[in-house]
Amino acid sequence: MPRGKTAGKVPCKPPRQLLFSEALRQQKHPATADSPPPSHNTMSDNTEGASMDRILQEISAVGRKLEGMDTAMSALTAETRSMRLEIAGFQSQISGLNHRVAAVESQVVLQTDRDQELLYLRSKLTDLEDRSRRNNVRFLGFPEGIEGTDILPARHASQTSRHNI
């Protein structure tokens, strides 16, 4: 904001212009020894002058405060701009991290599927290895224990009968 201008206030003359206009008025109506004294009271002039000086001092103080506020506002604006840049940087970093997390999540899903398939294949392999080691014959459809107490004597009996023939 330019110096000497305030938003929403009626512009007033700076102190120098007021003093200059007072000096012009005195030049137009110079006090001479021949002329009679002015008709108004000099006491009221002194009072008005003192109040005008006080008003000018207060206006000057307000102007200094406004300059300080303008400086503070400029600093806040600069800080806000730097914060916006930082936030934009953080947003781009977060976006990149989101993409990386999505890629990792998809790999985790694939890995879980692979783990389940691996467990299934291991159990199948274990079953096949166990069967190949045993060399057992499975008879399906016969109840358990049908062979009786010993299946070997029947086998020996059939072998001995063959040799006798």
Side-chain angles (χ1 to χ4, degrees):
M1 187 178 292
R3 185 184 258 184
K5 292 187 179 180
T6 58
K9 291 189 177 182
V10 178
C12 61
K13 295 180 181 178
R16 289 184 182 164
Q17 288 180 348
L18 286 175
L19 293 176
F20 183 70
S21 62
E22 290 291 323
L24 282 177
R25 246 188 281 145
Q26 289 176 1
Q27 284 179 358
K28 288 181 183 175
H29 305 288
T32 60
D34 298 337
S35 64
S39 60
H40 50 65
N41 190 354
T42 53
M43 180 68 115
S44 66
D45 281 346
N46 288 341
T47 313
E48 286 178 13
S51 64
M52 288 298 268
D53 286 342
R54 195 172 74 239
I55 290 172
L56 288 175
Q57 288 173 353
E58 289 178 13
I59 290 173
S60 177
V62 168
R64 285 190 299 272
K65 286 181 182 179
L66 288 175
E67 286 175 4
M69 291 173 81
D70 188 36
T71 304
M73 186 62 92
S74 297
L76 284 174
T77 303
E79 189 173 338
T80 302
R81 283 186 187 134
S82 69
M83 287 178 151
R84 282 183 184 169
L85 291 174
E86 283 184 52
I87 289 172
F90 290 147
Q91 285 175 337
S92 67
Q93 287 177 353
I94 288 172
S95 176
L97 290 174
N98 281 339
H99 291 299
R100 291 176 63 188
V101 166
V104 168
E105 286 175 343
S106 65
Q107 289 176 355
V108 166
V109 168
L110 289 174
Q111 188 66 32
T112 304
D113 292 343
R114 288 179 190 153
D115 287 348
Q116 289 176 351
E117 184 179 1
L118 182 64
L119 286 174
Y120 171 73
L121 291 174
R122 280 186 182 173
S123 69
K124 194 172 182 180
L125 178 66
T126 303
D127 185 48
L128 290 172
E129 284 176 347
D130 287 346
R131 286 182 194 208
S132 69
R133 280 189 216 140
R134 288 187 217 145
N135 276 334
N136 288 341
V137 179
R138 287 188 181 184
F139 293 102
L140 301 175
F142 292 101
E144 191 71 31
I146 196 162
E147 71 273 2
T149 58
D150 192 14
I151 58 167
L152 290 179
R155 194 168 119 199
H156 287 294
S158 66
Q159 287 176 354
T160 55
S161 65
R162 275 193 227 159
H163 292 292
N164 289 343
I165 300 180

